[in-house]
Amino acid sequence: MGQIETHRLRTRAAFGDTWLAILLLVPLIVTIFGVIGLPFVNAILQSFTDKRVGLPGHFVGLLNYRELVRDPAFWIAVRNSAAYAVVAVALKLIAGFVMALVLDKPLPGRPLWRALILLPWAIPALVAALTWRWMYSDTNGVINSILIRLGLINHPIPWLAALSIALISVIMVNVWKGVPFFTFTLLGGLQSIDRQLYEAAAIDGATGWQQTRHVTIPGILPVTLTATLLSLIWTFNDFQTVFVLTGGGPGHATTIVATLTYEYAFWNLELGKAVAVSVAVAPVFIIGILALSQLISNGD
Amino acid sequence: MVGYNKVVTWGFLGIALVITLFPIYWMLATSLTPYSAMFNPVPTLIPPSVSVEHYVDLFRNTPFLTFTKNSLIVSTASMLLSVFISTLAAYAITRMRLRGRHALATLVMATYLLPQSMLFIPMYILVSSLKLANTLLGLILTYPTFLVPYGTWMLMSYFKTIPREIEEAALIDGCSRWETLWRIIAPLAAPGISVVAIFSFTLAWDEFLYALVVTTSPSVQTLPVGIAGFIVGDIFLWGRIMSASVLTAMPMVLLYTVVQRWVVYGMTAGSVKG
């Protein structure tokens, strides 16, 4: 195909196609603006009202926000969400990195090991949470019974009911479910590294650790950064694990922002205040999300 | 040194396999433990005998089949709707000249990343005001809000891998854009579209939060919400809950064992939720 012909074709396509392009994009735009944008704008407006479930709201200005900053539960939820996200993501990243290195090695039976290590990712999050709730149980839970039988403890530990350990118990479930995401993302990163770089490093006399430090880690840094940011956003908002395991309890020991929103909306029936929670934490996410989408778009 | 490395590698793998597989084993083992042995003072790692009574109980005494049917309807319908919308949109964004398409691409990404837990109250208010609360249609129309941005994003990166020349040749041969999309591009993109379809189905199958707030009666509840409803007060029918869990997880596990290669592709290409 000649250059000029190609150019003419592209120009023709560009003019004739604008309307078709718009037509093809209408459903997407309706989805984004109609079903996500509008409700969100509506929600911001609702957060200035005293709307309750089933009743119309009246404008109350910043009352919901004033109540929110005075509510200790809100600050506990923010702190728990941050701790939950940071600790869980750090553990997932470390475990995922180790497992990626292990599964990158030419072990006998590797396809089988990979398939098995992936399993928690394929299990629905709700099923994972229910299974762990049963394993954590202080009446006949298998974790306590193993620990007792090994002689490590005398009495069952109330994993999900003790104020001091409930949050970490919940975090472990998120970690169990989330390690495969890091393992396989980082494994993809490892496999995209040019093998010749290792050979060159070896010829230059680099030891195993030096190769890891100067070839492996820089090679997987971009994918690691993306995976970590993605996981931070999703882990911060991991509603169902917390909801199913503890419902935010005991007290507010495991309450995160997402479960507090639910609590205000469906237990206290204060929709206005519930929406105010989402709106209050939204700026952090919007900044994080824009940074991340920039990062990912540039990576293409 | 080599031997030591091998021991460390197998050691890590062994520990990881035990931690990974034990909960899954325990779910399966519990579901097969007879009711009489469920509350033995000292539970055994291997059930004393195997019984399917929890499964019988599940089908006889709970609306498990209704939940399954609802999950199938909602997941299939929202998947088909979303894949269709995503294919059109991804094609237009990657292949057609349009001002602002880069901004649109970023917007799609940002929308995909927006956590559901920030949107569920607005979504609940919207669905209620449309009188769609507590209906399957309410869920089918809600799920594309996260499936479409995800699918569009994934397919955009897939369409970019298809050479433009193929399309240009078709246009020169007199095919219209529309024909080119469905006759040339869609078949070439079929593997990518299949991956998106599978993941979309799964995301819908696993979805909990929207289903929790939109549906209230068992006749329209999906599996995750229905099963979570088996926890009533302080009475835990763990045999029933675990057998329902096994049956809910099984299709997903089988699906991923079959298409494992694609899963890894999907994770690295479009970053599937983890």
Side-chain angles (χ1 to χ4, degrees):
Chain A
M1 197 192 308
Q3 282 291 318
I4 298 169
E5 202 181 347
T6 310
H7 178 75
R8 227 169 35 210
L9 187 79
R10 282 190 178 151
T11 316
R12 193 198 72 190
F15 284 107
D17 283 350
T18 306
W19 286 110
L20 181 60
I22 291 169
L23 193 68
L24 295 182
L25 287 168
V26 164
L28 173 76
I29 291 167
V30 168
T31 312
I32 292 182
F33 287 101
V35 196
I36 301 174
L38 272 182
F40 203 67
V41 172
N42 184 35
I44 293 176
L45 298 177
Q46 300 273 5
S47 74
F48 300 113
T49 71
D50 59 356
K51 179 158 173 63
R52 300 178 72 85
V53 172
L55 295 170
H58 307 284
F59 183 76
V60 293
L62 289 171
L63 183 71
N64 287 321
Y65 293 95
R66 280 213 300 273
E67 282 184 10
L68 211 57
V69 288
R70 282 202 215 112
D71 188 347
F74 175 69
W75 295 109
I76 292 172
V78 170
R79 199 198 58 203
N80 282 347
S81 290
Y84 187 89
V86 170
V87 174
V89 171
L91 293 175
K92 287 188 278 193
L93 178 60
I94 294 166
F97 181 63
V98 171
M99 285 323 292
L101 290 177
V102 167
L103 292 178
D104 194 38
K105 296 223 160 79
L107 301 169
R110 188 168 66 171
L112 176 66
W113 308 134
R114 284 190 182 173
L116 292 175
I117 291 292
L118 182 66
L119 278 177
W121 183 81
I123 303 263
L126 175 101
V127 167
L130 285 172
T131 306
W132 278 89
R133 181 163 171 178
W134 165 225
M135 295 204 309
Y136 276 139
S137 166
D138 40 14
T139 49
N140 288 53
V142 69
I143 295 176
N144 277 321
S145 88
I146 289 175
L147 292 178
I148 289 175
R149 221 176 306 171
L150 290 174
L152 294 173
I153 53 172
N154 294 323
H155 302 288
I157 295 174
W159 297 102
L160 298 171
L163 288 170
S164 54
I165 50 171
L167 188 61
I168 193 73
S169 302
V170 178
I171 286 174
M172 292 322 290
V173 179
N174 177 283
V175 171
W176 181 81
K177 172 97 178 89
V179 170
F181 170 72
F182 277 93
T183 304
F184 285 89
T185 316
L186 298 187
L187 193 58
L190 285 178
Q191 287 169 343
S192 68
I193 296 174
D194 189 349
R195 297 281 144 177
Q196 286 178 345
L197 286 176
Y198 288 104
E199 287 164 26
I203 290 169
D204 290 344
T207 62
W209 165 244
Q210 282 172 327
Q211 289 182 22
T212 307
R213 169 83 183 71
H214 295 287
V215 180
T216 312
I217 291 179
I220 60 168
L221 201 60
V223 64
T224 309
L225 195 62
T226 310
T228 305
L229 275 173
L230 274 173
S231 186
L232 273 173
I233 294 175
W234 287 324
T235 308
F236 192 95
N237 290 285
D238 182 17
F239 173 85
Q240 53 190 347
T241 306
V242 177
F243 184 78
V244 170
L245 283 165
T246 62
H252 277 123
T254 58
T255 292
I256 59 170
V257 172
T259 59
L260 185 71
T261 313
Y262 185 88
E263 193 181 314
Y264 283 156
F266 295 101
W267 294 349
N268 306 349
L269 304 178
E270 296 173 316
L271 280 181
K273 201 172 165 190
V275 172
V277 178
S278 297
V279 176
V281 295
V284 183
F285 285 103
I286 290 168
I287 292 167
I289 286 166
L290 288 179
L292 186 54
S293 34
Q294 214 59 34
L295 193 75
I296 296 177
S297 308
N298 291 343
D300 272 1
Chain B
M1 193 63 196
V2 172
Y4 169 76
N5 266 342
K6 256 199 176 139
V7 171
V8 171
T9 306
W10 283 105
F12 274 124
L13 183 61
I15 293 167
L17 284 173
V18 169
I19 297 174
T20 300
L21 298 179
F22 184 77
I24 299 167
Y25 165 75
W26 196 242
M27 167 169 69
L28 205 59
T30 305
S31 76
L32 294 169
T33 304
Y35 191 80
S36 56
M38 281 291 294
F39 295 98
N40 282 352
V42 184
T44 48
L45 284 183
I46 297 164
S49 60
V50 167
S51 141
V52 293
E53 62 194 69
H54 296 305
Y55 291 91
V56 174
D57 160 66
L58 193 63
F59 287 105
R60 281 226 186 112
N61 306 326
T62 77
F64 184 79
L65 276 178
T66 309
F67 299 152
T68 310
K69 190 192 74 192
N70 293 340
S71 271
L72 281 172
I73 294 172
V74 170
S75 306
T76 309
S78 56
M79 178 265 278
L80 290 175
L81 185 64
S82 306
V83 168
F84 181 70
I85 296 176
S86 307
T87 307
L88 298 184
Y91 178 80
I93 292 174
T94 52
R95 288 308 166 98
M96 301 180 89
R97 288 224 187 148
L98 192 71
R99 283 170 61 183
R101 65 199 184 104
H102 290 291
L104 198 58
T106 308
L107 189 65
V108 167
M109 183 73 204
T111 315
Y112 171 52
L113 294 174
L114 208 59
Q116 253 171 292
S117 61
M118 281 188 53
L119 291 170
F120 76 102
I121 304 289
M123 203 65 81
Y124 167 77
I125 296 172
L126 178 77
V127 171
S128 308
S129 65
L130 293 173
K131 304 267 176 268
L132 289 173
N134 211 24
T135 64
L136 291 181
L137 188 63
L139 285 182
I140 293 170
L141 294 180
T142 305
Y143 285 5
T145 60
F146 58 90
L147 296 179
V148 167
Y150 158 74
T152 307
W153 184 256
M154 283 282 285
L155 286 173
M156 275 164 53
S157 68
Y158 199 85
F159 279 149
K160 282 179 194 156
T161 65
I162 300 172
R164 268 177 187 277
E165 284 71 23
I166 298 176
E167 203 176 341
E168 281 164 357
L171 287 172
I172 287 183
D173 289 347
C175 280
S176 69
R177 271 285 189 183
W178 187 250
E179 281 172 330
T180 315
L181 172 57
W182 292 113
R183 296 229 183 117
I184 316 272
I185 300 298
L188 284 172
I193 295 175
S194 314
V195 175
V196 171
I198 290 173
F199 282 147
S200 302
F201 184 88
T202 317
L203 287 172
W205 184 267
D206 293 0
E207 204 288 324
F208 179 70
L209 183 50
Y210 288 165
L212 179 71
V213 298
V214 169
T215 60
T216 44
S217 51
S219 63
V220 291
Q221 276 170 345
T222 54
L223 282 167
V225 177
I227 298 171
F230 290 167
I231 299 181
V232 182
D234 289 329
I235 306 160
F236 301 118
L237 298 165
W238 285 115
R240 176 186 281 186
I241 295 169
M242 288 299 103
S243 57
S245 295
V246 169
L247 294 180
T248 305
M250 190 116 69
M252 298 300 114
V253 171
L254 291 178
L255 196 60
Y256 284 114
T257 316
V258 176
V259 296
Q260 201 205 142
R261 190 191 296 268
W262 284 356
V263 171
V264 176
Y265 164 79
M267 269 194 194
T268 42
S271 292
V272 179
K273 282 196 183 186

